[in-house]
Amino acid sequence: MKPSKLKTLPGRDALRKAEKIKAQIRAKVEHPFRYIKRVFGYDKVRLSGTVKEY
């Protein structure tokens, strides 16, 4: 949840803790995938759909 929406809700301390836990889990899961993608060359896929000229 975005911090701006979190400020307007009642009982935001519990929600803030839940969001922090989600962020920690997301970070632990996303980082290995980023490493694997970089190893297999998926960091250069930004130009997908365009033809490269050599």
Side-chain angles (χ1 to χ4, degrees), residues 11-37:
R12 58 185 166 209
D13 291 333
L15 289 172
R16 186 176 288 161
K17 287 180 184 177
E19 292 297 325
K20 183 171 183 170
I21 291 170
K22 287 196 304 188
Q24 289 173 342
I25 293 170
R26 189 179 302 117
K28 288 178 184 176
V29 171
E30 292 286 335
H31 287 205
F33 279 102
R34 181 175 184 266
Y35 176 76
I36 291 169
K37 283 182 174 184

